[in-house]
Amino acid sequence: MSKTRPGEAGGVPPEGARRTPDAAGPAASKRSEAELKALAEAGAAELGWDAPAHEVIAWVARNFATEATAVACSMADAVLPALVADQLPGVDVLFLDTGYHFPETYETRDAVAENLRVTIVDVTPKQTVAEQDAAEGKDLFARDPGRCCALRKVEPLHRSLAGYELWFTGVRRDESPTRTNTPLVTWDEKNGLVKVNPMAGWTFDELVQYSEDNLLPVNPLLAQGYPSIGCAPCTRPVAPGEDPRAGRWSGTDKTECGLHV
């Protein structure tokens, strides 16, 4: 069991822990932007381009309290939450509940909450789908997917990250041309905190193998041709030879939801 750091609650939540963003969560006091930027620069220099995921997470555990960190998880798989929870048990796992997810994605979220030592935080937009339909017109995702993502993903995540000092993502360099230069540690100017991508150098096959070897919850859609899983209306299966994110916003020039650009 990891030791409790100063300012950290004694102990960790049991499996199945859930809370809302309004409940007691991240620390109210954050270090200054200058301090966090300096840490990001130091981490990038220390870890370089190819440090193993466990070393990246160990660096975070040495420099950040558990309650100051969050994991963003799309619930395609549980690899990232599992890796982080090994060294930061009880860490908050942010799930962007857009209201448009596949049923399998919600099932995976529930399995992660039940089986891993993490705290699932359901992050919701300011409007329900019905309220957005009334305000913006029905099926905004079909007419203006960029605005739909901004309302249902980008703004809610930005709001939820406000109390943290660092967030983990599962972005990998092999996912698409827009992600090939993903660093392990960087400063996230848009959200004002450190951003860590411990699996940046992993391949999709390595992710699947790790999940299988460790008997982790996995979204059944991965085995049905969905290597990248987003909202149901904007995600299709990927054909052999296509890049893993080709099924996202197919038929448009959109390649990113806006969380990582």
Side-chain angles (χ1 to χ4, degrees):
M1 180 178 293
S2 65
K3 295 181 179 179
T4 301
R5 286 179 288 274
E8 188 173 353
V12 298
E15 288 83 352
R18 299 282 292 273
R19 71 171 178 82
T20 65
D22 295 328
S29 175
K30 287 175 61 173
R31 283 174 283 193
S32 71
E33 184 173 297
E35 290 176 293
L36 294 175
K37 279 186 176 181
L39 274 171
E41 292 174 1
E46 178 180 335
L47 296 165
W49 185 250
D50 291 316
H54 71 274
E55 291 185 11
V56 177
I57 298 166
W59 173 83
V60 173
R62 290 194 300 271
N63 290 282
F64 295 83
T66 300
E67 73 271 14
T69 68
V71 178
C73 185
S74 66
M75 298 302 165
D77 60 82
V79 173
L80 180 62
L83 286 169
V84 176
D86 279 346
Q87 301 189 60
L88 294 166
V91 68
D92 284 354
V93 173
L94 309 183
F95 173 65
L96 297 179
D97 189 357
T98 65
Y100 284 119
H101 286 299
F102 292 97
E104 292 89 344
T105 300
Y106 289 111
E107 292 167 7
T108 305
R109 174 201 60 186
D110 294 344
V112 169
E114 182 177 350
N115 291 285
L116 300 184
R117 300 195 78 181
V118 301
T119 301
I120 297 292
V121 181
D122 291 322
V123 176
T124 57
K126 291 181 177 178
Q127 296 178 317
T128 65
V129 170
E131 289 169 343
Q132 179 174 293
D133 285 348
E136 304 278 343
K138 187 172 174 57
D139 296 345
L140 179 63
F141 57 81
R143 294 177 287 104
D144 191 346
R147 177 157 176 76
C148 191
C149 284
L151 293 173
R152 309 204 72 75
K153 287 186 175 183
V154 179
E155 190 282 329
L157 180 67
H158 178 75
R159 176 169 23 99
S160 297
L161 288 175
Y164 298 99
E165 294 184 336
L166 177 148
W167 67 305
F168 291 96
T169 90
V171 172
R172 304 191 320 275
R173 297 167 190 150
D174 76 335
E175 291 181 290
S176 69
T178 60
R179 298 186 171 189
T180 55
N181 293 318
T182 298
L184 294 176
V185 180
T186 189
W187 173 252
D188 180 352
E189 191 69 46
K190 180 168 63 175
N191 290 302
L193 74 171
V194 181
K195 183 177 181 180
V196 176
N197 310 295
M199 299 167 56
W202 287 36
T203 65
F204 178 71
D205 289 344
E206 288 173 326
L207 182 148
V208 171
Q209 190 63 55
Y210 187 92
S211 184
E212 292 177 351
D213 290 346
N214 291 276
L215 303 177
L216 297 176
V218 63
N219 194 316
L221 294 174
L222 282 182
Q224 299 173 31
Y226 292 84
S228 180
I229 303 168
C231 294
C234 300
T235 309
R236 65 161 174 80
V238 170
E242 289 186 299
D243 77 61
R245 289 178 61 81
R248 305 289 295 275
W249 309 286
S250 184
T252 75
D253 59 2
K254 184 174 173 60
T255 59
E256 294 281 352
C257 62
L259 298 180
H260 304 294
V261 294

